[in-house]
Amino acid sequence: MTTSTNGKYDRTPLIAGNWKMNMDHVQSITLLQKLAWTLSDARHDFKRVEVAVFPPFTDLRSVQTLVRGDDLEISYGAQDLSEFDSGAYTGDISGQFLARLGCAYVLVGHSERRTIHGESDETLNAKVKAAYRHSLTPVLCVGEGLAVRQAGNHVAHTLEQVRADLAGLPAEDAASLVIAYEPVWAIGTGEVAGPADAQEMCAAIRAEIASLYDDTVASGVRLLYGGSVKAGNAAAILKERDVDGVLVGGASLDVAEFANIVRFEHHLVTD
Ligand SMILES: O=C[C@H](O)COP(=O)(O)O
């Protein structure tokens, strides 16, 4: 929130890699070590541009051990959490466990959770609150499918998700929120919403947060774009005023590609 990068931002940009259901716990160590070495060789300033990875649950202990052991500045989080804290919820993972594993973040409401697992806005609202109960920062994912976009209802649809998923969330929690706008039609398809689309949606989300809370809260919330982000398109998207970072899927599994996304400022200079 306090770091300024090229004069445009007053929020620290966040470059987040969602590994989805890829990389076992052994592979996760190799990937993370390579990423750390690559960024360290490039003298990346992690305070200027934050880097976070979201490995599968089963990798988190290994990731924690590596991050602590090598004193890495890379943040990490889980891809989901239970809305409950403990009990008879077979297969679910409590935010309490994630906090013990050193997670800073947790994804909530990724479109693959909404569509494949049928998670409702009511459930996601409970998950956002569960994250805060355990001092985890939720990265709330919102966005429309292709039919909604084609009908021109993408703004209304996405803002409805924001309102429903944040209902009853206190302002002091909302101020540290991260929201990722991910048009479902652009996820893993190679289709990318243009920088202007990303800006339009992020600006609309920020205005909605201001109306739900106030301008101070809205100015603290970091807004990410996700959907087929690559090194070649990241800089143009991140140049937009209200885009504070990116949530990267496929390209986060390629160390060189992801490191170049992290170093987007380098590309801004030559644009
Ligand atoms: O969480 C990441 C998004 O689903 C984007 O995935 P993608 O970069 O593979 O399109």
Side-chain angles (χ1 to χ4, degrees):
M1 165 66 181
T2 51
T3 302
S4 174
T5 62
N6 55 15
K8 177 176 82 91
Y9 298 100
D10 56 5
R11 296 170 287 275
T12 305
L14 173 61
I15 310 300
N18 175 13
W19 295 356
K20 305 194 178 183
M21 198 172 72
N22 297 290
M23 302 289 147
D24 64 29
H25 73 285
V26 178
Q27 294 170 315
S28 74
I29 293 303
T30 308
L31 181 63
L32 195 56
Q33 267 175 336
K34 279 188 187 164
L35 179 63
W37 287 334
T38 303
L39 291 173
S40 157
D41 283 352
R43 292 188 157 70
H44 178 67
D45 181 350
F46 290 90
K47 298 204 166 35
R48 190 173 176 85
V49 176
E50 185 181 357
V51 180
V53 294
F54 293 82
F57 287 128
T58 49
D59 299 2
L60 289 171
R61 176 63 175 152
S62 304
V63 166
Q64 178 189 37
T65 303
L66 177 62
V67 166
R68 281 192 181 169
D70 287 7
D71 208 13
L72 303 183
E73 292 184 88
I74 296 175
S75 308
Y76 57 92
Q79 297 174 13
D80 183 35
L81 83 168
S82 173
E83 66 196 275
F84 306 108
D85 296 341
S86 64
Y89 303 103
T90 301
D92 287 351
I93 300 292
S94 168
Q96 187 181 346
F97 308 157
L98 301 178
R100 285 293 301 273
L101 284 165
C103 290
Y105 296 104
V106 62
L107 301 182
V108 175
H110 189 281
S111 65
E112 288 145 19
R113 302 295 314 177
R114 292 177 188 264
T115 54
I116 300 169
H117 298 277
E119 294 188 357
S120 66
D121 285 314
E122 188 182 12
T123 297
L124 299 176
N125 178 243
K127 289 189 175 195
V128 167
K129 290 171 180 167
Y132 280 114
R133 275 201 304 281
H134 300 292
S135 304
L136 301 164
T137 298
V139 177
L140 173 67
C141 303
V142 296
E144 81 286 355
L146 185 59
V148 172
R149 165 68 62 156
Q150 285 173 336
N153 295 330
H154 46 290
V155 176
H157 172 92
T158 301
L159 297 187
E160 178 53 39
Q161 288 179 328
V162 170
R163 282 192 295 274
D165 298 346
L166 300 187
L169 188 72
E172 58 267 29
D173 288 342
S176 63
L177 194 61
V178 179
I179 299 180
Y181 167 66
E182 298 203 308
V184 180
W185 48 271
I187 294 176
T189 60
E191 294 290 328
V192 190
D197 289 323
Q199 167 58 24
E200 178 202 18
M201 295 305 295
C202 287
I205 293 169
R206 200 178 304 285
E208 186 65 27
I209 301 290
S211 102
L212 289 172
Y213 297 96
D214 58 34
D215 286 343
T216 307
V217 171
S219 69
V221 172
R222 287 188 290 178
L223 302 178
L224 315 185
Y225 168 78
S228 296
V229 172
K230 305 276 184 290
N233 57 31
I237 293 167
L238 284 157
K239 199 156 49 171
E240 295 294 338
R241 173 179 293 277
D242 284 292
V243 181
D244 305 313
V246 285
L247 180 57
V248 184
S252 70
L253 301 172
D254 179 327
V255 168
E257 186 79 12
F258 189 62
N260 275 327
I261 296 171
V262 169
R263 299 182 66 242
F264 70 96
E265 290 176 302
H266 175 79
H267 301 288
L268 278 175
V269 174
T270 54
D271 270 346

